[in-house]
Amino acid sequence: RISRDGIPPTSQMQLEFARSLGKSGSRDVVLELLRDGDVKSTLADRLWKEFSQVAVSSAATGEEWNTKFSEQGPFDMTFGTMDIFFGGLEGLIGSPSVHVLAAMRAEHSDAPDSTIKWTTGNYGVETTARTEWCFVYSPEEGPEQVGLTSWPTETKNADEHKRRKPRDRSALNHILADLNRKLKDLNQVELDVTELLGAVLYTGPMFEKYNTVNRGGALNTEQPEF
């Protein structure tokens, strides 16, 4: 939170404030602070966002909705050193290739872990990185290209009619053209096909692998081995 003078409080300042409030403050002071901070408005915004997500959820019961998140289990945050912070992603996974599409294909299809199966915690999809790449990039060739008779699909938390389906290249091109039309109207930089492919991959099972690296999994040997 930003203080009245525009200076973000440090953790030490917050600790000292909490101690001071506990020693010489009162319930009325806390209540006044909550009113002054417009907590009701902030809470209403957060609740409305959650209610909107519940409205379009495929969960049939409250238990099923809760299971979607609780089955993922607890996890530990990982802290790195200042060298790692300033090194950024390049320090963890190396510099990106200028041949983006070829690099994306290689990282998903030809890496040591490309054919290692895992099951997503949210929808129970058992898949591999290579399978996900083919599902998004070349679905026209069918699941047979990765030795399957059908594409991996959700096994929980999704009604049958809401389960994922592959989009062929013409459908992706249509989506890309529509997005770029909107971006152009807003005088924004347009997307290329690699950015769209990355976004589609992230909305599927690959988000678990991506987050494992981007959120520090590369530093923690206790993270799942994908």
Side-chain angles (χ1 to χ4, degrees):
R1 167 166 183 162
I2 304 298
S3 60
R4 291 181 182 273
D5 56 7
I7 301 175
T10 64
S11 58
Q12 185 61 34
M13 292 169 59
Q14 293 172 339
L15 176 60
E16 292 175 359
F17 173 77
R19 284 174 173 166
S20 175
L21 187 61
K23 290 178 180 179
S24 55
S26 66
R27 178 184 179 280
D28 291 338
V29 172
V30 174
L31 183 60
E32 187 61 31
L33 288 171
L34 292 175
R35 288 171 177 167
D36 184 54
D38 196 18
V39 174
K40 289 193 293 184
S41 177
T42 302
L43 182 60
D45 289 341
R46 180 60 182 269
L47 288 174
W48 174 245
K49 180 180 178 181
E50 297 299 326
F51 292 154
S52 299
Q53 293 179 357
V54 172
V56 297
S57 167
S58 61
T61 65
E63 289 78 8
E64 185 178 343
W65 172 256
N66 182 63
T67 298
K68 172 183 176 183
F69 301 99
S70 64
E71 285 188 353
Q72 297 182 43
F75 60 91
D76 295 324
M77 299 293 286
T78 302
F79 292 92
T81 64
M82 292 302 295
D83 289 341
I84 292 173
F85 174 79
F86 288 111
L89 277 179
E90 288 191 30
L92 289 173
I93 60 178
S95 300
S97 170
V98 295
H99 306 291
V100 180
L101 184 60
M104 290 176 68
R105 183 189 295 111
E107 289 180 355
H108 289 82
S109 300
D110 302 325
D113 65 337
S114 291
T115 58
I116 296 177
K117 292 181 179 181
W118 89 96
T119 302
T120 60
N122 53 0
Y123 292 109
V125 180
E126 183 182 72
T127 189
T128 69
R130 179 178 293 174
T131 298
E132 290 307 302
W133 174 258
C134 294
F135 179 83
V136 173
Y137 182 73
S138 56
E140 300 90 346
E141 298 179 25
E144 293 77 13
Q145 62 188 302
V146 288
L148 300 175
T149 57
S150 61
W151 292 112
T153 189
E154 297 88 342
T155 60
K156 62 180 181 180
N157 299 329
D159 295 336
E160 185 173 353
H161 68 283
K162 291 186 177 181
R163 292 173 184 171
R164 66 180 193 153
K165 298 177 179 61
R167 298 186 180 94
D168 59 25
R169 182 52 57 87
S170 63
L172 287 180
N173 288 340
H174 177 77
I175 294 172
L176 183 61
D178 183 58
L179 288 173
N180 281 337
R181 219 172 8 250
K182 295 175 181 178
L183 288 170
K184 187 174 182 180
D185 290 341
L186 296 171
N187 295 318
Q188 299 297 315
V189 177
E190 297 181 20
L191 300 173
D192 65 26
V193 67
T194 59
E195 292 171 309
L196 179 63
L197 289 171
V200 175
L201 283 162
Y202 184 80
T203 62
M206 288 303 301
F207 87 94
E208 290 194 344
K209 278 202 164 193
Y210 299 157
N211 287 348
T212 296
V213 174
N214 292 338
R215 296 177 180 176
L219 306 177
N220 189 345
T221 57
E222 297 182 358
Q223 289 281 347
E225 294 183 2
F226 290 123

